[in-house]
Amino acid sequence: MYRAAKRFFSTESTIGSFIRLRNRAIVGIDGKDAKTVLQGLMTNDMQSFAKRSDVAAIHGGFLNLSGRIFTDAFVVKPLIFQEGKEVVKEDEYFIDCTQEKKEELVNHIKKHALRKKIELFDISDQLQVVSLLNHVPNEESSAGKFRQAKSEMSHVEDGDYTMLIYQDPRSPLLGYRIIASAEDDDLSKMIEGVLGEKNQEYYDLTRYLCAIPEGEEVKDMLPLNCNFDFTGSISFSKGCYIGQELTARSFHTGIIRRRVFPIILNQITDSSSNIGMNLPLDKIINDYTANFVGKEVVSSKGTTIGKVIAQRKNICLAYIQYIELFKEGKLGVKVDGVDGYISRTEILNRHVTSYIMLSLIHISEPTRQAEISYAVFCLKKK
């Protein structure tokens, strides 16, 4: 059974939207070697759960031997009800991934977990994943903290899982996530009574404007090209994991010249606008039926700088060479002859400026752990 969260959905909170993410799957992994196995397979650090007791979930990528992503996923620490209080379920984790990547991810874990004491079990039909957007709870919380309700207990027995409510660790702009029983009527009554329901497309549009790809959109890409360093989805201080060498070399030896950015088509704005973050989503999107996935992105100078990898309505995710474009300060582009603008999102603005202002020359290539690596950099302001 799951614990009700009525207090979290107070009418004093900012009214937002909820989306049932029906494309998500939940795989449980249990056993004394579960943390060790995941630590050696994903880009993020499983020690985060031990270092901070308030960390509810981490996000990261699972790489192939060549260092490219085959899927991304959340790793969530479940809680159980025991002797009148919530406690962390030791040696057990929920892996939240897309349905289409579930089987491949399970096989990948099994392949690299020979002789390890773990058990994998698919509980996708028992649980549901819900996203809360534009919703501000009564109490402030930092990314990754548990958002557990403090309301009265109802039909909860020792050993039962409790409802998980936590902030999306990738960006505060993506709000909160809930993992609850698929048959939880209390959850339906609470969110339907306070929040307006949106569809999967609305969630994807919000995610695109945050420059955050997931699922098939990250397939065969490098973690840094997918902005994993900006979303806290990768650790450069943990030990080795599959695909780690190329990722570490890319991070330490120069500027990442290609990244995923959102492009807003048919939008009239000035070249430096952050419209994706400053306007309500309904003011930005419009019904656009043309399919631009796979189409080339062309700069104002007529140079091909990348291609579109995903699209919802008039919002596209594009994999582009952005450094020269940002130096010019001209963010206008064309996609298959249609005008658009690259939105410099809040999540990237904190870092992009520093990359553009500095010229970096590498002398060595550290690929080992931070405490035994070395590097010499020359930074010169332009």
Side-chain angles (χ1 to χ4, degrees):
M1 300 295 292
Y2 281 76
R3 181 177 172 182
K6 296 178 182 178
R7 201 171 186 189
F8 181 78
F9 299 102
S10 167
T11 53
E12 297 175 4
S13 302
T14 300
I15 301 300
S17 308
F18 75 92
I19 300 100
R20 299 184 190 276
L21 302 179
R22 305 184 192 280
N23 67 330
R24 306 302 295 185
I26 302 291
V27 176
I29 179 170
D30 192 11
K32 71 174 188 178
D33 293 328
K35 183 172 77 172
T36 302
V37 169
L38 292 176
Q39 180 76 338
L41 294 179
M42 72 180 305
T43 58
N44 217 331
D45 190 357
M46 289 294 295
Q47 295 296 337
S48 300
F49 294 107
K51 292 175 182 177
R52 290 183 56 190
S53 61
D54 61 356
V55 173
I58 59 175
H59 176 263
F62 289 81
L63 314 183
N64 56 29
L65 294 177
S66 63
R68 296 186 177 274
I69 305 170
F70 72 85
T71 190
D72 67 314
F74 296 88
V75 176
V76 187
K77 201 77 178 78
L79 298 178
I80 60 171
F81 186 72
Q82 194 170 77
E83 297 180 355
K85 61 181 180 180
E86 294 168 331
V87 297
V88 174
K89 185 75 182 295
E90 296 296 336
D91 300 327
E92 184 175 335
Y93 302 89
F94 291 161
I95 303 174
D96 172 4
C97 63
T98 58
Q99 285 278 3
E100 59 192 356
K101 288 294 184 179
K102 177 182 66 177
E103 185 176 351
E104 184 179 1
L105 179 57
V106 169
N107 291 335
H108 180 74
I109 294 174
K110 288 180 177 179
K111 177 181 177 181
H112 296 282
L114 297 176
R115 301 185 182 89
K116 297 293 185 181
K117 296 186 182 299
I118 67 166
E119 179 185 358
L120 290 165
F121 44 96
D122 184 4
I123 47 179
S124 304
D125 59 339
Q126 303 174 37
L127 300 175
Q128 62 177 314
V129 181
V130 177
S131 173
L132 306 181
L133 296 177
N134 306 321
H135 183 81
V136 182
N138 291 327
E139 302 173 13
E140 293 184 359
S141 173
S142 59
K145 284 189 176 180
F146 285 116
R147 294 305 310 159
Q148 294 301 319
K150 300 175 179 62
S151 57
E152 61 186 41
M153 296 294 179
S154 174
H155 307 296
V156 180
E157 300 176 359
D158 279 1
D160 289 342
Y161 290 106
T162 65
M163 181 190 299
L164 292 173
I165 307 173
Y166 59 93
Q167 195 171 35
D168 192 314
R170 297 171 296 178
S171 169
L173 297 170
L174 288 180
Y176 288 77
R177 294 173 77 92
I178 297 176
I179 297 180
S181 170
E183 301 177 355
D184 197 331
D185 293 333
D186 286 339
L187 174 63
S188 297
K189 292 176 183 177
M190 286 184 291
I191 58 181
E192 289 172 4
V194 178
L195 307 176
E197 184 171 9
K198 298 285 188 179
N199 57 20
Q200 177 79 37
E201 185 176 62
Y202 188 89
Y203 169 81
D204 288 338
L205 285 165
T206 304
R207 181 169 55 80
Y208 288 179
L209 287 171
C210 294
I212 297 178
E214 66 179 32
E216 277 291 322
E217 298 157 4
V218 301
K219 183 180 178 181
D220 294 331
M221 298 183 71
L222 300 177
L224 299 179
N225 297 144
C226 297
N227 304 319
F228 273 22
D229 48 339
F230 296 162
T231 58
S233 303
I234 187 169
S235 170
F236 295 101
S237 60
K238 63 179 285 187
C240 295
Y241 55 91
I242 291 178
Q244 177 257 354
E245 185 174 354
L246 177 59
T247 303
R249 186 184 301 120
S250 300
F251 177 75
H252 288 293
T253 60
I255 295 173
I256 311 303
R257 297 189 178 276
R258 295 179 178 85
R259 286 190 182 272
V260 171
F261 271 86
I263 294 179
I264 304 174
L265 300 175
N266 284 343
Q267 189 68 234
I268 301 175
T269 182
D270 63 84
S271 61
S272 61
S273 175
N274 299 328
I275 57 175
M277 297 296 102
N278 291 340
L279 293 178
L281 189 57
D282 294 338
K283 299 285 187 180
I284 300 172
I285 61 174
N286 57 61
D287 292 326
Y288 209 81
T289 56
N291 183 12
F292 292 99
V293 176
K295 301 293 184 181
E296 293 182 344
V297 179
V298 180
S299 70
S300 57
K301 289 187 174 181
T303 305
T304 299
I305 57 173
K307 68 176 182 178
V308 174
I309 62 171
Q311 177 193 356
R312 287 283 197 176
K313 294 186 182 293
N314 65 317
I315 311 296
C316 301
L317 271 185
Y319 181 46
I320 63 172
Q321 302 175 33
Y322 70 97
I323 296 294
E324 293 300 323
L325 196 67
F326 276 22
K327 282 181 180 178
E328 298 172 9
K330 297 179 180 179
L331 304 185
V333 295
K334 284 184 179 292
V335 180
D336 201 28
V338 177
D339 290 326
Y341 281 87
I342 295 175
S343 176
R344 287 179 59 172
T345 67
E346 179 179 327
I347 202 170
L348 297 179
N349 270 344
R350 301 194 303 266
H351 307 274
V352 168
T353 302
S354 62
Y355 278 129
I356 294 171
M357 295 298 293
L358 296 173
S359 172
L360 185 150
I361 304 171
H362 77 273
I363 297 177
S364 64
E365 300 182 357
T367 57
R368 301 182 181 180
Q369 294 188 47
E371 57 267 21
I372 58 173
S373 65
Y374 64 94
V376 180
F377 296 96
C378 174
L379 299 174
K380 179 182 178 182
K381 277 201 170 184
K382 295 189 175 181

